[in-house]
Each structure stands twice: as structure tokens, then as C-alpha cells.
Amino acid sequence: MTPASRKLLIIDDDVLVRQSIVTYLTDSGFCVCSASDATAALELLANPDLSLPDLIITDLRMPNGDGLQLLQLLHDRHPSLPVIVISGAGVMNDVVTSLRLGARDYLIKPVVDLEVLVHSINKVLDRQDLEEENKRYRVQLENANRELKENLRVLERDQIAGRRVQRRLMPSGFTTEEGYTAAHTIVPSLFLSGDFVDYAHIKRRYLAFYLADVSGHGASSAFVTIWLKHLVSRMVREEGLFGDESSFAQGADLMLRQINRELHETRLSHHLTLFVGVIDTVTHKMHYVVAGHLPMPILLTDEGAEYLTGRGKPVGIFKEVSWEVYERQLPEKFALVCFSDGILETLSQQELQEKEAQLLKLIASSSGGLDSVCNTLVIKEIRDNPDDIAVLSITRGVS
């Protein structure tokens, strides 16, 4: 603000002193009014037709009212109104009391150079401006915090709803008549997971399953898993995916090509790594495809533990791509354990090969069943994991 927009109130019973201060401050560009004592000043301040001054300059020793009493009243009624005291009574107790009652400065009469008073006024007004600006910032910050808290509550409700939907879409573990058992667990790094698992026993013969890891974290990745669930379910329901011998042979490749095509068409800005498998529970033959998945699933048999072989590009990055279908004959008793790459973050080894070797060793010491694997890797005790962790277990003849 310019000095002309600053309104000052001068309170002093000495007419000459008061007038000299009014004249000098007016010449300095301020808008100045005056009162001869505390009573007149309070009447001015109480007048609803007049705006409050930006600053008050007052004497302490006046015939009609003590200046300290005036300071107390001003402090009670107008606590944010700055006051400068000018007094000939330079008693230390008066100085301390004045400052305690909110006076911003204390000058001792006579003020020979009134430019000293102007400097004090500017300094007090600058400080007042800063305090008012800080108040505005605090109000803005409080409003922003309230909005943020409300937005967080809305987000939390949305996250809870999304998590419930995601959980409802997850399959329930089951055991087929031929003794195949499918089970899984997911430990999300955030409230919503970008990992997804699904499996089904189709036409009471083909056990189809997949483990998907969507790029990114949080709600957007979780929504892609929901989209993926509905897309694959539609392919199984409407297009007969994995419903006959022909689809058993090539269905995994067709499934990934369809997902890849729709990812590009819908522009979801995510890609996926997947392991897709389908087992003929009559012949015990498994076909599978690998789409950028790491680590590879581990096959545990009486002969030991080994990683499946295979490779393929992730889904959603390249437009025209197909995936090789691999084949494996399964023994009477086995466990196939699939992980998302978040499991590697739980291992203390530094190099990828060392992590994979340690994971293989740990799975070899388990039975291959879901509970045994989770207990061996202490998955359910993991906290603050940097990435989602998904475990899918397909077993036969394993407790």
C-alpha cells in the first residue's frame, strides 16, 4: 500500500505536539486524523461510519484517561491494530508494560527528528502487512488442507470400493475331480494391486490359469486388472477359449494377441507381463506361453525343482506380435508355483541370478502347496513391500 492509503490516528493532549506530528505525517503522504485524549479516541474508533485506522500513535500521560488503560482497551477490542507509543515519561516499567500490551514500538519525547517516527511507522506497517499476508496464507492453507482431507476421504472410499470389486473378481481356490488344486494369494504394495490371478476348470477338463503383472501401481493399474478379467471371461464365455482340443493347443497365444490388440485400441497406457497356462486334466499335458514374465514359474516334482523354459514379449508394447506355445508333460505328482516379480524384491541377494537361485532353493524346500510356499517365503509377514507380490500354485498329489 502507498502512504496515502494508510490511515493514522494520533492521540496526544499537547496541541502543539499533536499538530506538528499531524502536519509532518500528512506531508509525508499519510492520511492522518487526531484525538486529544483517550476518550475522544475511543469515540472515533467506535463510530461505525468511520473505518479503523491502520495504526495508532499515542501518548501515555494524558489528563482524561491513562494511556496504559487505553492500550489495554485497544488490546482487548482491536488486538490486531498496531500501536506506537510516544511518551515523555521514559520509565522502564511503562516501556515494558506498553510492549506487553501490544505496542509495536516506544519512542521518547521529544522526537527531534520526526523522520525517526516515519521510519518506525513504515517498519510497523510492513510487519503488519506481513502478518496479514501470513494470516491469508494460513486461511488458504487451512482451506486447502480441508479440501485435501475431503479428497483423500473420497479417494479412500473409491479405493475401498475398488478393492472390494477387485477381490470379488479374484477366483476361489478349488480342487478338481482329477486331484488338481488351484490356489493363490496377493500381497499388494498399495491398497490396490496391479497383480492379478485367475483360473478356471473349463468343460470339466481344461484347467486354465494366468498370472498378470500390470505396469505401474495403484488405482489405474488395478482398473486394468478388472478390465483384463472381463475380457478373458468374455473370451471363455463367448468365444470358447480353452473349451476344446484346438483351443487347448493354441488358445494361450490367441488370448494374448486379443489382449494386446485391445490394449492398443483402448489406449490404456499400460503394458502387462503374463504367464498363461492350460492343463488337460485327462492327458496331464500343459501348454503355456510367456509374455515378458519374470521370474519363470517353478515346477516342483519328486526329481527336484526347476524353472520352466520359455520367453516372449510383454503385452501392450508391440502392435503386431504372437507368442510361442510351449508344451510340458506333467507327472502324477507335481507343484507349479508362479510368482510376480515383486517376490524378487523380498530376497536379500543383489544380482538377479542369485535371487533366482535362492528362490528355486526355497521352493525346493517346500511342498509346493500355497500355504507351504507362503510359510517358506514368509510372505504374509512382509510389510511395506515396494512392489505387489502375487503367488499362484497349481498342484496335484501335493498336500
Side-chain angles (χ1 to χ4, degrees):
M1 291 185 181
T2 62
S5 63
R6 300 294 197 162
K7 182 179 179 181
L8 310 179
L9 172 59
I10 313 302
I11 309 171
D12 198 307
D13 62 306
D14 189 316
V15 176
L16 293 178
V17 171
R18 184 173 72 248
Q19 190 58 49
S20 65
I21 293 176
V22 168
T23 301
Y24 191 88
L25 293 180
T26 300
D27 291 342
S28 297
F30 295 99
C31 177
V32 186
C33 58
S34 63
S36 60
D37 53 34
T39 302
L42 292 173
E43 289 177 357
L44 282 174
L45 295 174
N47 190 334
D49 297 327
L50 300 177
S51 60
L52 287 175
D54 295 295
L55 183 144
I56 293 176
I57 301 168
T58 183
D59 191 7
L60 284 187
R61 297 289 180 258
M62 294 178 287
N64 296 328
D66 184 11
L68 292 176
Q69 292 178 352
L70 175 63
L71 280 178
Q72 182 67 63
L73 289 172
L74 293 174
H75 184 268
D76 294 340
R77 298 178 186 179
H78 308 286
S80 62
L81 184 57
V83 178
I84 294 175
V85 172
I86 300 180
S87 180
V91 181
M92 183 57 65
N93 185 57
D94 287 346
V95 176
V96 172
T97 303
S98 298
L99 296 177
R100 182 177 59 79
L101 292 175
R104 300 296 182 87
D105 203 353
Y106 192 106
L107 302 179
I108 297 175
K109 288 182 178 179
V111 180
V112 178
D113 185 0
L114 286 178
E115 194 59 32
V116 172
L117 176 59
V118 172
H119 175 75
S120 176
I121 291 171
N122 287 329
K123 181 179 68 175
V124 171
L125 290 177
D126 287 343
R127 179 182 172 185
Q128 183 73 4
D129 289 343
L130 182 60
E131 290 176 356
E132 291 297 326
E133 187 175 6
N134 286 338
K135 286 180 182 178
R136 288 194 297 271
Y137 285 151
R138 282 198 299 270
V139 170
Q140 292 173 2
L141 182 59
E142 289 170 1
N143 291 335
N145 283 337
R146 279 195 295 270
E147 292 178 5
L148 178 60
K149 288 179 180 178
E150 181 58 30
N151 290 336
L152 287 175
R153 281 194 290 268
V154 172
L155 178 59
E156 183 179 354
R157 289 195 295 267
D158 291 345
Q159 294 265 13
I160 291 173
R163 184 60 175 157
R164 286 174 179 169
V165 171
Q166 197 176 36
R167 283 178 175 173
R168 289 292 297 272
L169 293 177
M170 292 286 183
S172 299
F174 62 75
T175 300
T176 70
E177 294 178 359
E178 300 84 3
Y180 286 87
T181 297
H184 78 280
T185 189
I186 291 182
V187 182
S189 59
L190 300 174
F191 197 77
L192 292 172
S193 175
D195 288 357
F196 196 77
V197 170
D198 202 6
Y199 40 81
H201 194 202
I202 302 170
K203 298 292 180 70
R204 302 178 66 85
R205 177 168 179 172
Y206 300 105
L207 175 55
F209 54 92
Y210 66 85
L211 189 155
D213 186 352
V214 182
S215 61
H217 297 277
S220 64
S221 298
F223 291 151
V224 174
T225 68
I226 295 172
W227 168 85
L228 177 65
K229 165 73 176 185
H230 285 288
L231 175 59
V232 176
S233 297
R234 188 189 72 200
M235 294 174 68
V236 171
R237 183 178 61 254
E238 299 178 5
E239 301 173 21
L241 182 68
F242 303 129
D244 55 30
E245 187 174 347
S246 174
S247 187
F248 167 66
Q250 294 298 323
D253 172 50
L254 294 174
M255 170 182 161
L256 292 191
R257 282 197 281 167
Q258 177 76 2
I259 295 170
N260 189 66
R261 184 164 52 252
E262 297 212 16
L263 269 176
H264 282 284
E265 290 175 355
T266 53
R267 299 181 180 179
L268 292 177
S269 300
H270 283 280
H271 67 270
L272 299 84
T273 62
L274 290 102
F275 178 83
V276 182
V278 55
I279 300 171
D280 186 334
T281 59
V282 174
T283 65
H284 311 302
K285 184 183 294 184
M286 177 175 69
H287 288 164
Y288 64 90
V289 295
V290 181
H293 190 78
L294 188 73
M296 287 293 290
I298 296 174
L299 182 63
L300 182 62
T301 66
D302 289 338
E303 297 179 359
E306 62 175 304
Y307 283 107
L308 293 181
T309 58
R311 62 181 182 177
K313 294 180 173 65
V315 179
I317 297 179
F318 306 96
K319 256 193 173 182
E320 298 298 333
V321 63
S322 60
W323 284 265
E324 181 178 353
V325 178
Y326 297 88
E327 183 178 309
R328 183 68 180 253
Q329 186 66 44
L330 298 172
E332 288 291 322
K333 180 180 178 181
F334 76 92
L336 180 66
V337 188
C338 308
F339 300 97
S340 63
D341 61 358
I343 194 65
L344 298 175
E345 300 294 333
T346 68
L347 303 175
S348 59
Q349 288 71 23
Q350 297 298 316
E351 300 297 329
L352 176 60
Q353 290 183 341
E354 295 175 348
K355 289 176 180 287
E356 290 179 324
Q358 178 65 11
L359 181 61
L360 189 65
K361 180 180 177 181
L362 290 170
I363 298 306
S365 68
S366 73
S367 70
L370 182 65
D371 289 339
S372 177
V373 169
C374 289
N375 291 334
T376 300
L377 298 175
V378 201
I379 287 177
K380 295 183 180 178
E381 296 181 15
I382 294 174
R383 299 291 183 271
D384 299 325
N385 42 305
D387 197 3
D388 304 323
I389 301 172
V391 184
L392 169 62
S393 172
I394 307 293
T395 62
R396 184 173 184 234
V398 173
S399 58

